[in-house]
Amino acid sequence: MQELLYIVLGLCAGTLSGIFGIGGGIMLIPGLVFLAGLTQHEAQGTTLAIMLLPIGLLAVMRYYQSGHVHFYIAAFICVGFVIGGLLGANIAEMLPNLVLKKAFGLFLMIVSVYMIFSR
């Protein structure tokens, strides 16, 4: 039964990712913490594993067909993302679970307030 929950979480996160271009972590991390009982660290690590190929391949192909993908820009962002991902993972592993969980929630709150009130 847990597997069905994971499939539904993936379906919802994938759909939102395709619609909004978000990383699925905005939905997956809270879902894995509150619905599946994972720790914040486990949820973040699992979500990072999900981002590996070929998960995003079909969505990227669709956007590419419409002319909405800038591979040149993406290549440079990937370089930073690889380095930042390693740096961020090292920082996250040093933080207690509760601190990491609250920091993630604060980050989501700041982003949402900014999105709501910006023009």
Side-chain angles (χ1 to χ4, degrees):
M1 193 61 180
Q2 211 49 12
E3 289 79 9
L4 182 59
L5 170 66
Y6 300 147
I7 291 171
V8 170
L9 280 173
L11 178 62
C12 293
T15 302
L16 289 176
S17 180
I19 293 170
F20 299 118
I22 61 169
I26 289 174
M27 178 171 187
L28 285 176
I29 291 173
L32 289 171
V33 169
F34 296 116
L35 299 175
L38 272 64
T39 68
Q40 187 72 20
H41 287 96
E42 291 170 335
Q44 289 181 195
T46 301
T47 300
L48 287 171
I50 292 164
M51 288 193 290
L52 297 174
L53 284 176
I55 299 303
L57 185 60
L58 294 176
V60 170
M61 285 174 40
R62 177 66 187 104
Y63 278 100
Y64 176 75
Q65 290 169 344
S66 297
H68 296 127
V69 177
H70 298 274
F71 285 113
Y72 183 79
I73 295 169
F76 285 97
I77 293 172
C78 282
V79 170
F81 198 92
V82 167
I83 296 166
L86 180 59
L87 178 65
N90 285 329
I91 292 169
E93 285 299 319
M94 292 186 292
L95 298 173
N97 187 63
L98 185 60
V99 171
L100 186 61
K101 186 176 182 179
K102 291 190 181 296
F104 181 77
L106 181 62
F107 171 75
L108 291 179
M109 188 171 62
I110 291 168
V111 170
S112 64
V113 167
Y114 178 79
M115 294 287 294
I116 290 168
F117 293 106
S118 68
R119 293 181 184 236

